[in-house]
């Protein structure tokens, strides 16, 4: 068998008789189809290739096939699946026993059974046992409210019981001793006797028998937990499909997501005290987002579409500002937030990895193609308190901690109950995420995560926390310093002072590591093999230069790879 190679005609060349390694048109068609849509050509496509004519005509057919496939939804799907394997994000961990998924931060409501006085009305799944009778526990009439819900625009539903409350204050529980206390419903949300808020945006309508599994189950393609984990890969596919620069993946202020996914960002903004989001319907009313670019498998205005949205509009603590700087060593007050940075500030990325060092390591490995491998046969100084400068772990931490420092301001505490109860903190940001100074002592109730983690690992005078003990005594929040100081570098680059993940993103782009990594990943998808950065340095540099010259756009670069000599030769 000649494996699809062409037998050359006899010539006077001394090498005459050797088989050419240029793929036949049929083999080339198969390779292009597998690379661009993940499936072999159909029988009809093979027949059309044969009917095209001679070798030159058949090769022109393959070139036209590539152009057509790059414009088909199959290419979007291939880029999504490629990115999903590339990023390899785990699902957001549960907060207790399944289905305790807390990221949605919405209280679950379900409809009253048919044999009750308020059949079909929506009530809190737990915590309000008499609502479906139409009465409160004391026998007085239960609250009832007809509204247009966020999950079904243009319709009207009835809320009953505590869920229907519109009171500004309610009764909640003291987190320390569990005693009843008065609470502000606008700030606290749907806890205790507080209601679901305008258009019930603080609640999630669960249509299933077992509350919580609809959003929790990973096999539900429209469940929020699954959507959150897929968002970064969908963003990459969106960038490829709409011919955006690949750097938008980590430098952009926008992302993509259906209504149910965007709800998580809105709830996080509300948790931080941005109550004005209660009156914003731009994320759930189709007329407000009907012009947003979407994936090729849905129509504009479809609530299920992976549509483009501005992250700062959903959670204002992810800032639109591109060079926001905040140094808690010299500036007083609270940080306004961290700049939005594409997938690096996606909730799927931040919650999948619960620690800043894990986030930094995975970001370096995934987006800069760094290899963090343990040393062999080396001697190190004794480890005492700082893995970045002491002991054998410093081999990796000298590279890792300057990345991890950018990922400090996001953490989780507590456990969820039917969708709410777990807290996702952005320490030192805004007006809500602050605590009495005694949290630094670990005294009750600050002996749990994330406080215990911060107290153990955010130690002053370390590579991860380059502040002095005196500064930490004056302002405990100084340990959340989240930009690279001038005395440190990452991949040879010095920071401009931008805080948060965007500061990290700027550094790996400036170092050229991001471009090289994207090129290597796309090369693997199209040609079936990685580029050896050591043995093929010149070849890699050429590909990167061409990628940058083309505006860092995925589709034209992929096309150029299918036109390359190596692709044509099956190498």
């Amino acid at each position: 068998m000649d494996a699809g190679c062409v037998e050359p005609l006899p010539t006077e060349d001394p090498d005459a008789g050797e088989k050419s390694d240029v793929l036949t048109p049929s083999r080339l068609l198969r390779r292009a189809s597998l690379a661009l849509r993940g499936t072999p050509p159909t029988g009809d496509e093979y027949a059309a290739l044969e009917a095209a004519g001679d070798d030159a005509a058949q090769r022109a057919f393959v070139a036209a096939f590539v152009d057509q496939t790059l414009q088909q939804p199959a290419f979007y799907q291939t880029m999504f699946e490629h990115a999903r394997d590339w990023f390899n994000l785990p699902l957001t961990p549960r907060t207790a026993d399944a289905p305790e998924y807390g990221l949605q931060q919405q209280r679950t409501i379900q409809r009253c059974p048919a044999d009750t006085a308020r059949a079909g009305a929506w009530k809190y799944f737990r915590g309000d046992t008499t609502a479906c009778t139409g009465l409160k526990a004391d026998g007085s009439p239960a609250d009832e409210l007809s509204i247009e819900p966020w999950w079904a625009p243009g319709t009207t539903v009835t809320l009953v019981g505590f869920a229907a409350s519109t009171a500004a204050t309610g009764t909640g529980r003291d987190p320390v001793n569990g005693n009843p206390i008065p609470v502000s419903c606008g700030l606290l949300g749907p806890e205790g006797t507080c209601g679901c808020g305008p258009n019930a945006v603080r609640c999630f309508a669960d249509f299933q028998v077992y509350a919580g599994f609809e959003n929790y189950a990973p096999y539900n393609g429209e469940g929020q937990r699954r959507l959150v984990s897929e968002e970064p890969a969908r963003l990459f596919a969106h960038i490829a499909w709409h011919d955006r620069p690949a750097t938008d993946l980590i430098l952009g202020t926008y992302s993509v997501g259906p209504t149910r996914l965007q709800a998580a960002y809105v709830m996080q903004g509300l948790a931080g005290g941005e109550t004005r989001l209660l009156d914003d319907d731009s994320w759930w009313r189709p007329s407000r987002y009907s012009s947003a670019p979407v994936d090729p498998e849905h129509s504009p205005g479809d609530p299920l579409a992976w549509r483009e949205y501005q992250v700062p509009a959903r959670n204002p603590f992810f800032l639109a500002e591109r060079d926001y700087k905040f140094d808690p060593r010299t500036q007083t007050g609270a940080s306004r937030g961290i700049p939005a940075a594409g997938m690096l500030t996606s909730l799927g990325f931040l919650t999948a990895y619960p620690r800043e060092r894990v986030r930094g390591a995975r970001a370096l490995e995934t987006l800069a193609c760094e290899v963090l491998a343990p040393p062999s046969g080396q001697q190190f100084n004794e480890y005492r308190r700082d893995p970045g400068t002491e002991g054998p772990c410093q081999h990796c931490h000298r590279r890792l901690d300057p990345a991890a420092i950018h990922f400090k301001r996001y953490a989780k505490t507590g456990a969820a109950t039917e969708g709410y109860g777990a807290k996702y903190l952005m320490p030192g940001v805004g007006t809500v995420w602050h605590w009495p100074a005694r949290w630094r002592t670990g005294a009750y109730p600050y002996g749990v995560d994330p406080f215990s983690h911060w107290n153990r690992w955010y130690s002053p005078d370390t590579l991860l926390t380059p502040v002095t003990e005196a500064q930490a005594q004056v302002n405990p929040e100084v340990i959340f310093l989240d930009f690279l100081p001038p005395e440190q570098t990452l991949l040879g680059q010095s920071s401009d002072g931008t805080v948060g993940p965007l500061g990290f993103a700027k550094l790996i782009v400036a170092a050229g590591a991001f471009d090289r990594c994207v090129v290597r990943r796309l090369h693997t998808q199209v040609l079936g093999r990685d580029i050896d950065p050591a043995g093929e340095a010149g070849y890699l540099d050429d590909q990167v230069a061409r990628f940058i010259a083309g505006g860092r756009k995925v589709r034209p670069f992929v096309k150029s790879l299918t036109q390359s000599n190596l692709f044509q030769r099956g190498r």
Side-chain angles (χ1 to χ4, degrees), residues 124-377:
Y124 285 146
F125 175 65
R126 292 186 194 274
D128 195 359
T129 57
T130 65
C132 289
T133 67
L135 301 174
K136 296 180 180 179
D138 62 5
S140 61
D143 289 337
E144 193 166 314
L145 180 67
S146 293
I147 60 166
E148 178 188 19
W150 70 268
W151 64 87
T155 68
T156 300
V157 300
T158 299
L159 303 180
V160 66
F162 295 152
S165 175
T166 58
T169 59
T171 302
R173 295 286 180 180
D174 188 306
V176 176
N177 55 36
N179 293 330
I181 56 172
V183 295
S184 170
C185 294
L187 295 176
L188 189 63
E191 297 193 19
T193 64
C194 293
C196 289
N199 302 103
V201 297
R202 287 189 181 271
C203 293
F204 176 77
D206 197 312
F207 290 83
Q208 308 305 308
V209 175
Y210 300 104
F213 279 100
E214 181 176 352
N215 263 337
Y216 174 85
Y219 52 79
N220 180 12
E222 296 176 5
Q224 192 190 72
R225 187 168 177 245
R226 166 88 170 264
L227 298 174
V228 166
S229 71
E230 289 186 355
E231 182 180 3
R234 291 286 182 179
L235 176 58
F236 180 81
H238 183 86
I239 288 168
W241 181 254
H242 290 283
D243 291 324
R244 309 286 180 78
T247 45
D248 282 5
L249 180 68
I250 58 174
L251 296 179
T253 60
Y254 67 89
S255 189
V256 292
T259 296
R260 188 178 290 190
L261 169 61
Q262 293 185 38
Y265 288 85
V266 175
M267 295 308 112
Q268 180 65 12
L270 288 170
E274 286 286 350
T275 55
R276 60 188 173 87
L277 295 171
L278 288 170
D279 299 316
D280 178 20
D281 63 357
S282 64
W283 60 278
W284 60 265
R285 192 177 297 281
S287 62
R288 298 289 305 277
Y289 59 74
S290 59
S291 62
V294 299
D295 67 277
E297 298 167 344
H298 293 88
S299 301
D302 186 341
L304 301 179
W306 287 91
R307 64 181 184 269
E308 187 175 314
Y309 68 95
Q310 287 293 322
V311 175
R314 301 292 172 262
N315 179 0
F317 299 108
F318 291 132
L319 308 175
E321 189 174 339
R322 298 293 80 197
D323 59 354
Y324 178 65
K325 299 173 177 63
F326 180 79
D327 188 342
R329 298 171 300 183
T330 58
Q331 294 176 251
T332 59
S335 167
R336 290 197 288 110
I338 56 178
M343 68 167 282
L344 293 174
T345 49
S346 69
L347 298 184
F349 179 84
L350 293 172
T351 58
Y353 305 117
R355 300 284 189 251
E356 67 293 321
R357 281 183 168 117
V358 181
R359 292 171 191 149
R362 290 296 296 130
L364 282 173
E365 292 170 336
T366 302
L367 300 167
C369 288
E370 284 286 286
V371 178
L372 300 173
S376 60

Side-chain angles (χ1 to χ4, degrees), residues 174-178 438-439 441-448:
D174 188 306
V176 176
N177 55 36
R438 72 176 186 276
W439 73 264
T441 69
Y444 182 83
Y446 303 110
V448 298

Side-chain angles (χ1 to χ4, degrees), residues 411-434:
K412 173 193 158 293
T413 188
T417 302
E418 284 83 48
Y420 82 105
K423 305 295 184 182
Y424 293 84
L425 315 175
M426 298 181 71
V429 170
T431 60
V432 172
W433 293 303
H434 308 273

